[in-house]
């Protein structure tokens, strides 16, 4: 695994647009101050929002089976709980 490039605090201040553009494109940096590593600039992981129909179907095929009876029993247990009156003492 290649090491991240190091940038100084001064470089970060003076070249912030260039460095932030690189981070946005996936580059990570180690920030140094007085020759000591003090932090990392890393890109955020982006979540995918769209899943294709084929990918959803493939994921569904490997999903565990669901027992309808067990599901309904779980619902019944939850729905049959009585609400406690917060003012009753």
């Amino acid at each position: 695994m290649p090491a991240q490039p190091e940038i100084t605090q001064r470089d970060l201040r003076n070249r912030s647009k260039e460095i932030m553009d690189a981070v946005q494109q996936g580059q990570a940096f180690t920030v140094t101050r007085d020759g000591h590593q003090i932090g990392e600039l890393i890109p955020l992981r982006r979540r995918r929002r769209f899943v294709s129909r084929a990918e959803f179907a493939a994921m569904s095929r490997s999903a565990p089976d669901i027992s309808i009876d067990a599901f309904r029993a779980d619902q019944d247990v939850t729905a049959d709980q009585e609400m406690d009156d917060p003012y009753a003492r």
Side-chain angles (χ1 to χ4, degrees):
M1 183 165 143
Q4 314 179 147
E6 288 189 356
I7 56 172
T8 64
Q9 179 182 2
R10 178 176 289 173
D11 282 340
L12 179 57
R13 184 182 64 232
N14 294 337
R15 300 175 32 222
S16 64
K17 180 186 180 340
E18 174 188 345
I19 291 168
M20 290 301 163
D21 287 345
V23 170
Q24 187 175 15
Q25 294 172 2
Q27 178 67 56
F29 296 93
T30 300
V31 181
T32 64
R33 178 173 50 198
D34 298 326
H36 301 284
Q37 296 179 344
I38 61 167
E40 293 180 308
L41 271 176
I42 58 172
L44 293 175
R45 284 185 240 140
R46 297 189 185 243
R47 291 183 145 183
R48 288 188 335 172
R49 297 195 183 264
F50 176 78
V51 177
S52 70
R53 180 179 292 193
E55 189 175 357
F56 179 78
M59 289 187 300
S60 297
R61 280 191 292 275
S62 63
D65 290 335
I66 296 173
S67 165
I68 293 296
D69 294 331
F71 178 73
R72 286 187 178 146
D74 287 344
Q75 284 184 318
D76 289 342
V77 168
T78 303
D80 287 344
Q81 293 178 359
E82 292 184 26
M83 295 293 291
D84 291 333
D85 184 355
Y87 300 106
R89 292 186 182 208

